[in-house]
Amino acid sequence: MLNSGSGDTISEDRIEKIARKYAVKNALDYGKAKIGNVINKLFSEVRPSGETGAEKIREIVEEVVSEVNSLSREELEREAANYVYAEREERTGLPKLDWATESTKINTRFAPNPSGFLHIGHAKVAILCDEYSKMYSGSFFVRFEDTDPKTKPPIPEAYKAIIDDLNWLECGISGIFRQSERMELYYRYAKELIHDGHAYVCTCIPEVMKRNRADGRECACRTNSPAANMEMWERMLSSYKEGEAVLRLKTDMEHPNPSVRDWIMMRVIEAEHPITKGKYRAWPLYNFASAIDDHEMEINLVIRGIEHEVNGVKQAYLYSAIGAKQPHTIEVGVLKVKGTLSHKSDIIKAIKSGELSGWDDPRTPTVAGFRNKGVPPKAIRDYVIGSGIGKNPSYLDMAKLSALGRKIGGTGV
Ligand code: GLU
């Protein structure tokens, strides 16, 4: 028996079992288990202490690690599937929001691009948003970001497929919106911003614009009057061709990050949209449409991928120009799946070539693919919630997902 430090004694047998569990995980994560890593994990679970105890523990761990390192990957995976790791088991929910009280209603939104089906990484964000709105009795909206008919053309079937996936993931959807159907709203804000001198139409050729932004130099368009800008804005809606004019927000031309300097809110795209067809030619970019919608929809918590970190900085200028409060924002680390295609364009190519049978092929990292593999939705939810809201990227741990699936009676992966 060993002293646990909290007054309990722990049998050597139990120490060995816990060490083995972490050694298997460590070997799967890094190729070989390391004694130090296993000891740290073990101590975080049982906190044993005392001179003699520590020595004995090291001895046990050394033996376990050497045994585990002789197993094949297949054997490791099989064994890991039987464990549910402590950090997942212990956490019962997401951390509380320190700025919210028990009675604050938390309204969140999930904003997918319907240019592909739902990847498990997107599902992570959706589940976190849904879970927070449930924890704080607020709303969870789905808002399709479909205002780029050229570089991210919406796939008509994707709108329904994404909603089906979210319903399958047990998300409680309070409302569904499509940005392509909210264009008049963006036009209204664009006009107000021009009128108030916060936005201007820039007709510099893209190379000049790029150079000016890089050098922090203002162009002549920036000093045009609101009346002149209004007239040019009308031309963006009627006659300017693609690339001839953009609407820019006045931010700070000396901002240390050049991409923040007078970022573009709207541009002309002459491509047909599957829903609105040829009705609109001036389309909002992500930062503009997203911030306006978050404000209009009274979203008070935004959760999105870490790649959007700088967008929070850009949007702060827009919130200040319209006199609104920027919602609390959490940027979370990307969840990737090893050994599968992760880019939409690669998946589309593989489907076209017949290499994959479709977006729901069990070999794709889409939610539909996981459904077809037999993974229960609750296992995915538990996995995501258990992983929390950290910023570090991670690879989906199949063994853990499988263990969670088995625990609730699914077939696992
Ligand atoms: N369409 C964006 C994405 O999928 C949404 C980002 C956001 O939630 O603000 O990354």
Side-chain angles (χ1 to χ4, degrees):
M1 289 293 187
L2 298 164
N3 193 322
S4 76
S6 54
D8 322 327
T9 46
I10 301 174
S11 71
E12 291 181 19
D13 194 37
R14 179 145 175 256
I15 293 280
E16 192 185 320
K17 279 209 177 94
I18 298 171
R20 175 134 189 145
K21 175 172 80 171
Y22 288 120
V24 167
K25 179 181 186 305
N26 203 229
L28 277 173
D29 287 348
Y30 301 103
K32 283 260 172 270
K34 289 207 178 78
I35 295 165
N37 291 353
V38 177
I39 290 182
N40 287 345
K41 276 288 177 195
L42 186 125
F43 273 51
S44 73
E45 190 167 330
V46 291
R47 290 188 199 88
S49 69
E51 282 296 298
T52 340
E55 256 170 49
K56 183 71 198 161
I57 286 165
R58 193 175 173 91
E59 224 173 83
I60 298 173
V61 172
E62 271 172 9
E63 215 166 288
V64 166
V65 164
S66 124
E67 232 174 80
V68 164
N69 281 343
S70 69
L71 299 177
S72 68
R73 186 154 190 98
E74 214 182 12
E75 287 169 318
L76 289 170
E77 273 167 3
R78 209 173 315 122
E79 187 169 335
N82 298 321
Y83 298 133
V84 172
Y85 289 89
E87 62 263 32
R88 313 287 175 221
E89 233 171 13
E90 277 163 12
R91 201 198 296 270
T92 51
L94 291 169
K96 287 230 158 77
L97 301 167
D98 54 12
W99 48 271
T101 65
E102 292 297 316
S103 60
T104 312
K105 289 207 183 319
I106 296 296
N107 299 327
T108 60
R109 85 313 188 259
F110 175 56
N113 293 56
S115 51
F117 287 48
L118 217 55
H119 184 275
I120 197 80
H122 294 127
K124 166 180 172 175
V125 173
I127 291 167
L128 293 173
C129 289
D130 174 62
E131 192 65 21
Y132 269 120
S133 71
K134 282 177 180 155
M135 261 167 83
Y136 288 90
S137 319
S139 302
F140 166 72
F141 298 112
V142 179
R143 192 175 70 217
F144 287 107
E145 297 201 331
D146 58 348
T147 62
D148 185 348
K150 196 155 199 172
T151 47
K152 291 180 193 157
I155 300 176
E157 319 80 274
Y159 292 91
K160 183 178 177 300
I162 290 174
I163 296 298
D164 289 347
D165 286 346
L166 293 172
N167 283 330
W168 180 74
L169 287 168
E170 295 160 18
C171 292
I173 303 174
S174 315
I176 303 170
F177 300 87
R178 292 175 178 182
Q179 287 190 323
S180 58
E181 291 170 342
R182 298 166 65 77
M183 297 290 281
E184 302 303 329
L185 173 76
Y186 311 131
Y187 287 0
R188 179 159 65 72
Y189 271 94
K191 275 186 172 170
E192 271 172 33
L193 287 159
I194 294 171
H195 178 268
D196 295 344
H198 291 301
Y200 62 100
V201 175
C202 182
T203 52
C204 294
I205 58 167
E207 293 75 44
V208 171
M209 198 194 294
K210 205 172 158 198
R211 207 176 327 120
N212 283 344
R213 277 175 100 188
D215 298 346
R217 196 182 315 121
E218 292 186 12
C219 67
C221 310
R222 201 178 203 261
T223 50
N224 282 337
S225 67
N229 277 312
M230 204 61 92
E231 199 200 304
M232 287 159 88
W233 164 246
E234 290 301 331
R235 285 167 65 188
M236 276 183 73
L237 299 178
S238 58
S239 55
Y240 276 131
K241 303 255 169 299
E242 243 178 76
E244 281 184 354
V246 294
L247 183 68
R248 294 167 71 172
L249 181 74
K250 279 188 194 164
T251 63
D252 172 2
M253 287 304 280
E254 286 174 11
H255 192 281
N257 182 340
S259 78
V260 176
R261 298 173 189 165
D262 287 14
W263 53 265
I264 298 171
M265 301 196 302
M266 290 259 186
R267 78 300 206 200
V268 175
I269 299 179
E270 295 172 298
E272 187 163 293
H273 190 284
I275 294 174
T276 57
K277 309 292 176 200
K279 193 169 173 192
Y280 301 107
R281 55 199 311 283
W283 291 94
L285 275 125
Y286 160 75
N287 277 307
F288 181 50
S290 175
I292 294 300
D293 278 338
D294 286 343
H295 169 59
E296 283 283 323
M297 295 163 77
E298 297 182 12
I299 301 301
N300 50 2
L301 174 63
V302 169
I303 301 179
R304 58 185 164 213
I306 192 82
E307 70 278 13
H308 289 286
E309 220 164 16
V310 71
N311 290 327
V313 179
K314 292 183 188 176
Q315 291 177 18
Y317 287 92
L318 181 57
Y319 283 107
S320 143
I322 62 172
K325 187 174 176 290
Q326 188 162 14
H328 290 267
T329 303
I330 300 175
E331 277 108 7
V332 292
V334 191
L335 175 62
K336 300 189 232 175
V337 184
K338 257 192 199 140
T340 59
L341 301 175
S342 58
H343 289 291
K344 280 179 191 173
S345 53
D346 293 333
I347 298 178
I348 292 173
K349 238 186 263 161
I351 293 173
K352 277 195 183 138
S353 73
E355 210 180 303
L356 291 173
S357 62
W359 287 96
D360 59 355
D361 189 302
R363 288 165 298 173
T364 67
T366 58
V367 171
F370 279 86
R371 180 166 57 231
N372 276 348
K373 263 203 269 244
V375 180
K378 183 155 186 328
I380 300 179
R381 281 191 82 93
D382 287 351
Y383 182 96
V384 167
I385 293 165
S387 311
I389 51 171
K391 288 188 187 297
N392 287 337
S394 61
Y395 279 104
L396 184 78
D397 187 331
M398 291 295 196
K400 238 166 260 170
L401 183 64
S402 176
L404 287 166
R406 277 165 221 260
K407 206 173 151 209
I408 52 181
T411 48
V413 284

